[in-house]
Amino acid sequence: MLDIKFIRNNIELVRQAISNKNEKADLDKLLEIDEQRRQLQFEFDYLKAHQNSVSALIAQKKKTGENIENELKAMTKTAEEIKALSAQLSIVNGELEKLLLTIPNIPQEDVPVGKDESANKIIKIWGEPKQFSFTPKDHLELAIQNKLLDLPRGAKISGSGFPLYTGEGARIERALINFMLEFHLQKHNYTELMAPVIVNRKTMTGTGQLPKLEEDMYRIEKDDLFLIPTAEVPVTNIFADEVLSYKDLPQKFVAYTPCFRREAGSYGKETKGLQRLHQFNKVELVHFTEPEKSAEALEQILSDAEDILQAFNLHYRVVALCTGDLSFASQKTYDLEVWAPGTGKYLEVSSVSTFGEFQARRANIRYKDKTGKVKHLHTLNGSGVATPRLLIAIWETYQQEDGTIKLPAVLDPFLGITI
């Protein structure tokens, strides 16, 4: 959430950000409601000051035995006016809050301006695409041949987009999750969390999924609870409504969770095999930091996620997203896209984002700096990484001519294999 004072003082910047992010927030309505609120607040404060003044006068007259009948009548009228103004303020504040939740975050100055992914910028390429002496199969062919997936039965159980991993496929998935968790714990000094995967509306609103993305979420209507789309949601909210000390920062957490997304807007997009799912597994990295250190933290999370791909010796590229491809809450995002040789294209396996104080304001996460001043801290996160497309890249990169898969040796300890 943006500070209303910031919006008021940077109207054209905010208006441009709304346009550049392809959002439809009603900034004029917001400013109109804000002006109403400020006028009501002025009147309320004036009457409260008057009430206090008359109360002091009544107390003084009581001491001297003077008649206070007129003052008491005036106080009754003022109290009624204050009550009415308070009710109006409550309504207007609620309207303002709802409108503020529709205003997207401001992209950082170095984010490319563009309407869609065609304006994204490739900023780094690592490794080379693997060359084969045969025509490589795609992951679905490999999975069927090696009995790693049973998508028809997964669809029978739950519906399309809910994969059923079988035999070695299930073991490899579990090994990947454990490998990534231990990698980030031992090499990158994260603290592990095992977070809830069902959260309340306040928590989903805190990270910016609500109200904008409610149709993409799986909701338990009876309890008004949501299945999480990413561990970012519960992990970011662990400090909601708390004030940390600068001595507690930075905080770095890693968490594995299953993730659930309805993908309401994915019609027509590539959904073959594991490419786009309603349920998938992901290891998430979340940072809480002081504002002046958030730029460094963004590069660190990116590097941490890259290390996973490099550990598997997978060819990938880093893409800086343009304004039109940024999420509602993001100030700046890098995507990691790994090369899948059988599929013949790059697949996103991680998004690494900084949010500034946007999420911290929504979730009311603050810290006390060295001077004792209470401020909103900065939040960042990144996939470290999601498993489905990582599996695609691994299976397709390490396939043999006969269709078997020789998995990277770094997974051996997690598969119970000894050499």
Side-chain angles (χ1 to χ4, degrees), residues 7-25:
I7 296 174
R8 201 184 297 141
N9 295 328
N10 299 275
I11 295 173
E12 291 311 311
L13 176 64
V14 176
R15 197 183 303 279
Q16 190 63 56
I18 293 171
S19 174
N20 287 344
K21 278 195 163 187
N22 302 323
E23 297 290 343
K24 297 179 180 179

Side-chain angles (χ1 to χ4, degrees), residues 131-142:
Q131 301 300 314
F132 294 86
S133 60
F134 55 91
T135 302
K137 298 178 179 179
D138 69 25
H139 77 285
L140 197 50
E141 294 176 276
L142 295 167

Side-chain angles (χ1 to χ4, degrees), residues 12 38 63 83-84 101 106 111 121 162 171 189 227 235 246 253 270 272 317 323 352 357 376 385 392 402-403:
E12 291 311 311
R38 293 170 72 190
K63 289 181 180 179
K83 184 178 179 181
L101 290 174
I106 308 293
V111 172
K121 303 294 184 184
F162 293 89
R171 292 184 69 223
N189 199 32
L227 277 69
V235 176
Y246 73 92
F253 295 103
E270 179 62 70
K272 183 178 180 181
R317 65 189 186 186
T323 54
V352 178
E357 60 182 40
H376 289 96
V385 298
I392 291 174
D402 62 0

Side-chain angles (χ1 to χ4, degrees), residues 53 184 213 301 374:
S53 176
H184 292 307
L213 300 175
I301 299 176
V374 176

Side-chain angles (χ1 to χ4, degrees), residues 97-129:
E97 180 78 11
K98 287 181 180 179
L99 287 169
L100 280 171
L101 290 174
T102 68
I103 306 296
N105 204 352
I106 308 293
Q108 292 186 359
E109 290 184 2
D110 61 346
V111 172
V113 176
K115 287 298 181 183
D116 54 42
E117 62 185 17
S118 64
N120 293 345
K121 303 294 184 184
I122 299 171
I123 63 170
K124 178 180 179 180
I125 296 176
W126 191 90
E128 298 286 341

Side-chain angles (χ1 to χ4, degrees), residues 11-77:
I11 295 173
E12 291 311 311
L13 176 64
V14 176
R15 197 183 303 279
Q16 190 63 56
I18 293 171
S19 174
N20 287 344
K21 278 195 163 187
N22 302 323
E23 297 290 343
K24 297 179 180 179
D26 193 340
L27 183 58
D28 292 332
K29 181 65 173 178
L30 171 70
L31 294 170
E32 178 187 328
I33 295 296
D34 177 48
E35 184 58 36
Q36 290 180 25
R37 182 192 64 82
R38 293 170 72 190
Q39 183 60 40
L40 287 170
Q41 190 67 53
F42 176 81
E43 295 174 18
F44 180 84
D45 292 343
Y46 174 81
L47 287 177
K48 287 292 289 184
H50 176 66
Q51 185 183 52
N52 293 337
S53 176
V54 175
S55 294
L57 179 59
I58 290 173
Q60 184 180 347
K61 284 190 173 184
K62 278 184 176 181
K63 289 181 180 179
T64 59
E66 295 179 61
N67 188 302
I68 58 172
E69 183 177 347
N70 290 337
E71 284 79 7
L72 289 175
K73 287 182 180 178
M75 282 290 282
T76 299
K77 181 181 178 183

Side-chain angles (χ1 to χ4, degrees), residues 130 132 136-140 142 176 274-275 309 312-316 337-349 385-399 405-408:
K130 183 173 180 179
F132 294 86
K137 298 178 179 179
D138 69 25
H139 77 285
L140 197 50
L142 295 167
L176 271 181
L274 298 178
Q275 290 189 51
L309 303 184
F312 290 116
N313 198 29
L314 295 172
H315 168 56
Y316 68 88
E337 298 179 348
V338 68
W339 177 249
T343 301
K345 63 181 181 180
Y346 289 94
L347 302 175
E348 178 208 325
V349 292
V385 298
T387 64
R389 294 170 185 168
L390 178 61
L391 268 182
I392 291 174
I394 290 174
W395 288 349
E396 293 185 4
T397 299
Y398 288 92
Q399 64 180 287
I405 301 168
K406 185 178 181 181
L407 293 170

Side-chain angles (χ1 to χ4, degrees), residues 262-360:
R262 290 185 62 237
E263 295 284 5
S266 66
Y267 179 77
K269 293 185 178 180
E270 179 62 70
T271 57
K272 183 178 180 181
L274 298 178
Q275 290 189 51
R276 189 171 295 274
L277 302 172
H278 294 305
Q279 178 181 334
F280 60 94
N281 296 310
K282 182 155 68 80
V283 171
E284 187 76 1
L285 310 173
V286 177
H287 284 214
F288 301 85
T289 186
E290 296 171 273
E292 58 270 22
K293 297 179 181 178
S294 64
E296 177 185 347
L298 178 65
E299 301 303 319
Q300 185 60 61
I301 299 176
L302 176 62
S303 175
D304 293 346
E306 286 186 74
D307 283 350
I308 295 293
L309 303 184
Q310 291 179 17
F312 290 116
N313 198 29
L314 295 172
H315 168 56
Y316 68 88
R317 65 189 186 186
V318 180
V319 179
L321 300 194
C322 72
T323 54
D325 209 21
L326 283 184
S327 74
F328 176 84
S330 174
Q331 284 187 334
K332 182 176 182 178
T333 296
Y334 296 118
D335 273 1
L336 286 179
E337 298 179 348
V338 68
W339 177 249
T343 301
K345 63 181 181 180
Y346 289 94
L347 302 175
E348 178 208 325
V349 292
S350 175
S351 282
V352 178
S353 301
T354 182
F355 305 93
E357 60 182 40
F358 191 82
Q359 291 181 328

